[in-house]
Amino acid sequence: MIIILNRDIKAEHKLNITNWLEDKGFKVKEIVGEEETVLGAVGAVAVDPRSVELLEGVKSVIPISKPYKLASRELKKEDTVITVGNVKIGGPRVAVVAGPCAVESKEQIMAAAEAVYNAGAVILRGGAFKPRTSPYAFQGHGEKGLKWLKAAGEKYDMPVATEIVSPSHIDIMREYVDIYQIGARNMQNFELLKAVGELGKPVILKRGLSAKIEEWLMAAEYLLAHGTDNVILCERGIRTFESYTRNTLDISAIPIIKKLSHLPIITDPSHGTGLRGKVHPMALAAVAAGTDGLMIEVHPKPEEALSDGPQSLYPEQFDKLMKDIEALSPVISKEIERPLRQGFAVHRLSTENMTRADKTEGKLRVAYQGEPGAYSENAAGRHFGEQPLEFVPSKSFEAVFDSVLTGSSDYGVIPVENALTGSIHECFDLFLRYPDINIVGEKQIRIRHNLIALPGADISKIKKVYSHPQGLMQCERFLDGLDVERIPYYDTAGSCSLVAQKNSSEIAAIAGVHAASYYGLEILKEGIETNPSNFTRFFIIARCEHPEPEQVDKATVVFSVPDKKGSLVSVLQVMNENGLNMKKLESRPIHGKPWEYMFYSDIELPARDDFLSEGINQLKKVCEDFRLLGIYKAGI
Ligand code: PEP
Ligand code: MN
């Protein structure tokens, strides 16, 4: 039965009701919905609902008409959203689980993980214990396979799902598995359901080969009644008289389950059809029917697969499928599940891409974008002061991140905001692609632009002026007074290098004093920027942990909030309650989620050291995605 509680019920009354029901032999679950809080009471006992209605704090009692109680929509009106690591399943999203049928070798699962991850899958699958129709077929690598699967999941930051076939495997599996899968052949293995339910971990429950929807929901009820709240149903096709396909994928089960249950349902068109060529259209059909996710078998070399090769997609096919799902999802008000940092190919540190052999002894290597003499180089010099430095000029901002990630440089210095022209979005976006790189410092420098040319050049003879577009824009008024062509160039210091190379007295550059002296040029006119309050903020980035809170007073975070009323206000409230002074809040479009935004915020930290543990935990709860980009000492 469902016991609807009064909105203002006191905690002691709620406890009384729970105790009363448990004494009678019920299992009680509290469900906090948007509209109301209810208690679900299930068990093989009967009481007169009127005796429950008389308990203090009870608004009403409704019997659950279905045989499955905890799984039923009657008990819980809102969709259940299951969180595994940084992935969510359920609600307005399509989460994609992908990987090979079986883990065959370390190389195979790594290659599969890389492919599915880059295409946008969020959970890695792979069987280590395979229930095969023939006792002579490959049965999986057992614990060795689990180890490889977990290593691949860790490398690509994806939770892993794998099938459990016997309660006796729980002890081996526990340390490797994020999501247990109960296979179609075991859907009604009740001892297995009970044992897995008791683990309290997320479970993917496949529909049995010939299970009716109600039997499937009853199997889910076993899991829920034994301790887990996190059951994901998986439609994977049923046996029918049709033999063209391996199974008949029951797409109609998707809207039916949505009506009957609050649990998320994902769809497996790989087993559902058994035919590689039919996976793509059926996956799209499932999305159109409202599936909360897909489970797709992908193999780096399907023709060599030890199991289910004929239904496994090639990585390129999976990539194409992901793009189509992304385009289709908004039609049914869903979007593909993508944790924040996964908007694009993510660059992670691995032992293979560590290069430190060329390190210059005793000097800190600092990468920046641009040519020698760039403002970034100046900012780096000012930040690191007396320390011996070796600068690493880099072609692009991305190259700076790469240099830091691979260990070629100890630090990077990147411009993030100009006081006149605003944020340099490209640099912010790069943090999402480099989750191992954090902000460790900040420096602000005043930008003083100069007109620079060959020694002895005459300002009245200058015909062309080169600079970065921002440099040209910031000196607009000065340039208006000259009869010159303005030529945008990739970099301010680079434009000095060009003037030196061309060796012509008819061209000039706009750049800082350092660039002029580096290239042996002369300053024709100093301080030509229109607005003298021209400052640029730089972040110092590194591949390291966040420092101890005592030495820092500022943080930069990036977060997204659920698409519902008041969600940004909740974030601001947490900041306020924790005494955090928000210095800046800026929204950026989320790549891959049209018209959705993430927020970058700079926060002044209070003189307390519990921000990391307390404040951040609270922020994570109210945000959909949250990342601390860095805590550092505010730079001047
Ligand atoms: C699997 O997912 O590899 C599998 C064996 O699935 P099912 O239990 O649906 O046959
Ligand atoms: Mn399979």
Side-chain angles (χ1 to χ4, degrees):
M1 75 189 123
I2 303 162
I3 298 118
I4 301 171
L5 304 175
N6 283 336
R7 267 174 194 271
D8 53 356
I9 186 169
K10 294 200 172 112
E12 54 178 295
H13 291 149
K14 192 152 70 183
L15 191 65
N16 276 349
I17 303 168
T18 307
N19 289 343
W20 188 94
L21 290 161
E22 284 178 349
D23 282 350
K24 293 265 184 294
F26 284 102
K27 275 194 173 157
V28 182
K29 268 200 179 165
E30 179 175 342
I31 294 151
V32 184
E34 271 184 20
E35 311 263 300
E36 56 199 6
T37 297
V38 307
L39 296 178
V42 295
V45 278
V47 293
D48 183 344
R50 281 170 304 183
S51 59
V52 183
E53 253 162 5
L54 291 175
L55 299 173
E56 177 114 38
V58 173
K59 186 170 158 209
S60 57
V61 176
I62 308 173
I64 302 176
S65 60
K66 302 285 192 308
Y68 44 87
K69 311 284 180 193
L70 298 171
S72 91
R73 193 54 99 176
E74 289 174 59
L75 178 72
K76 186 166 178 260
K77 292 190 183 63
E78 288 96 13
D79 288 343
T80 286
V81 177
I82 291 170
T83 304
V84 192
N86 53 18
V87 176
K88 292 194 173 73
I89 306 146
R93 48 179 77 72
V94 179
V96 180
V97 183
C101 179
V103 180
E104 297 169 3
S105 67
K106 188 161 183 207
E107 294 67 37
Q108 174 249 18
I109 191 67
M110 283 293 175
E114 182 178 8
V116 302
Y117 180 78
N118 284 337
V122 287
I123 295 169
L124 179 65
R125 64 148 285 151
F129 295 95
K130 295 303 299 176
R132 304 300 299 280
T133 308
S134 161
Y136 310 117
F138 171 62
Q139 310 277 315
H141 281 301
E143 186 168 3
K144 209 162 48 167
L146 294 174
K147 271 196 190 135
W148 296 332
L149 178 68
K150 176 149 171 97
E154 277 177 354
K155 178 163 179 198
Y156 293 98
D157 208 3
M158 288 185 284
V160 298
T162 194
E163 179 164 354
I164 178 163
V165 294
S166 161
S168 67
H169 291 158
I170 285 177
D171 283 340
I172 320 174
M173 297 185 77
R174 211 186 285 273
E175 91 177 82
Y176 306 108
V177 179
D178 300 302
I179 306 177
Y180 289 87
Q181 179 174 321
I182 307 255
R185 288 153 198 82
N186 273 317
M187 189 206 84
Q188 281 185 320
N189 180 340
F190 298 115
E191 291 311 311
L192 182 63
L193 293 174
K194 285 186 209 168
V196 173
E198 273 162 22
L199 296 175
K201 298 274 279 189
V203 184
I204 292 175
L205 177 65
K206 291 240 178 156
R207 182 176 181 181
L209 302 174
S210 54
K212 292 168 61 158
I213 286 175
E214 187 164 299
E215 290 164 331
W216 185 19
L217 287 170
M218 289 307 288
E221 191 75 9
Y222 262 89
L223 291 165
L224 296 167
H226 282 85
T228 182
D229 293 327
N230 299 325
V231 177
I232 302 152
L233 299 163
C234 180
E235 164 60 44
R236 46 78 71 204
I238 46 174
R239 280 280 162 81
T240 66
F241 55 82
E242 181 53 69
S243 58
Y244 187 93
T245 45
R246 182 174 173 184
N247 291 292
T248 298
L249 188 65
D250 182 8
I251 297 277
S252 66
I254 300 165
I256 295 170
I257 289 286
K258 292 254 140 240
K259 178 159 191 287
L260 299 178
S261 177
H262 54 86
L263 296 173
I265 174 171
I266 65 171
T267 307
D268 171 355
S270 307
H271 295 88
T273 62
L275 302 169
R276 182 180 305 128
K278 304 291 170 274
V279 170
H280 189 115
M282 293 314 279
L284 295 186
V287 171
T291 193
D292 295 309
L294 291 165
M295 178 181 271
I296 310 282
E297 284 187 344
V298 181
H299 195 290
K301 292 184 184 142
E303 59 288 348
E304 291 173 18
L306 298 181
S307 65
D308 289 350
Q311 69 192 35
S312 300
L313 295 190
Y314 286 90
E316 315 79 78
Q317 292 178 311
F318 179 65
D319 196 57
K320 164 87 171 64
L321 173 62
M322 290 300 291
K323 293 194 167 92
D324 286 353
I325 297 166
E326 183 157 5
L328 174 62
S329 301
V331 175
I332 39 119
S333 304
K334 287 208 180 225
E335 67 193 26
I336 205 152
E337 165 69 353
R338 243 185 234 284
L340 197 52
R341 67 177 180 285
Q342 243 195 273
F344 353 56
V346 173
H347 302 255
R348 305 273 343 196
L349 178 70
S350 71
T351 39
E352 298 102 69
N353 63 16
M354 288 207 52
T355 54
R356 205 47 229 269
D358 56 347
K359 180 175 162 72
T360 316
E361 272 318 305
K363 285 189 178 174
L364 285 179
R365 286 174 60 102
V366 183
Y368 62 86
Q369 186 273 327
E371 300 282 335
Y375 288 109
S376 299
E377 187 191 85
N378 182 225
R382 303 255 298 269
H383 177 81
F384 289 102
E386 302 294 285
Q387 301 184 61
L389 301 179
E390 185 185 328
F391 289 118
V392 184
S394 310
K395 285 230 162 328
S396 61
F397 295 133
E398 185 165 359
V400 173
F401 275 77
D402 265 335
S403 182
V404 174
L405 180 76
T406 57
S408 298
S409 299
D410 300 289
Y411 294 96
V413 175
I414 48 158
V416 288
E417 189 177 2
N418 178 269
L420 303 176
T421 50
S423 288
I424 297 150
H425 293 123
E426 186 189 346
C427 289
F428 279 101
D429 290 345
L430 279 165
F431 282 104
L432 302 186
R433 295 170 56 188
Y434 288 83
D436 298 308
I437 292 185
N438 291 315
I439 303 164
V440 294
E442 181 190 44
K443 189 77 203 162
Q444 293 175 23
I445 63 167
R446 169 142 182 233
I447 302 293
R448 291 219 75 197
H449 289 310
N450 310 283
L451 189 71
I452 298 166
L454 288 180
D458 178 351
I459 196 164
S460 63
K461 306 252 166 62
I462 300 288
K463 298 215 166 69
K464 293 178 181 174
V465 175
Y466 290 81
S467 190
H468 187 276
Q470 291 242 0
L472 295 171
M473 207 166 71
Q474 290 169 8
C475 300
E476 211 157 27
R477 200 171 301 157
F478 171 77
L479 291 172
D480 285 348
L482 299 179
D483 183 21
V484 293
E485 188 186 347
R486 298 162 206 197
I487 305 179
Y489 204 58
Y490 72 99
D491 179 35
T492 52
S495 57
C496 285
S497 152
L498 183 83
V499 170
Q501 255 175 46
K502 290 206 167 186
N503 203 23
S504 157
S505 297
E506 296 192 339
I507 61 170
I510 293 177
V513 284
H514 291 85
S517 71
Y518 189 91
Y519 296 99
L521 302 176
E522 199 173 277
I523 293 179
L524 296 186
K525 179 88 183 157
E526 208 180 327
I528 57 171
E529 66 278 1
T530 308
N531 189 330
S533 306
N534 188 349
F535 294 88
T536 295
R537 263 176 89 200
F538 294 82
F539 279 153
I540 320 301
I541 58 171
R543 200 189 66 223
C544 66
E545 296 298 314
H546 300 302
E548 285 302 312
E550 301 98 67
Q551 312 145 12
V552 298
D553 52 14
K554 200 168 172 192
T556 297
V557 300
V558 57
F559 60 89
S560 64
V561 293
D563 182 16
K564 64 179 189 202
K565 141 179 104 173
S567 54
L568 184 58
V569 171
S570 321
V571 175
L572 303 184
Q573 237 156 12
V574 170
M575 298 228 186
N576 186 27
E577 282 158 14
N578 281 276
L580 305 174
N581 178 18
M582 191 188 267
K583 304 287 284 180
K584 176 183 173 186
L585 180 65
E586 184 163 350
S587 65
R588 286 281 298 142
I590 301 181
H591 291 219
K593 294 185 176 181
W595 322 126
E596 286 199 31
Y597 304 88
M598 57 201 170
F599 297 93
Y600 284 93
S601 181
D602 290 337
I603 304 165
E604 196 174 74
L605 299 180
R608 289 190 348 236
D609 61 4
D610 61 353
F611 169 72
L612 280 184
S613 52
E614 255 315 294
I616 288 189
N617 272 343
Q618 290 177 26
L619 286 171
K620 279 185 180 161
K621 280 194 196 133
V622 290
C623 292
E624 194 152 73
D625 284 298
F626 179 91
R627 184 176 157 211
L628 177 65
L629 293 182
I631 55 171
Y632 49 91
K633 185 114 196 84
I636 38 162

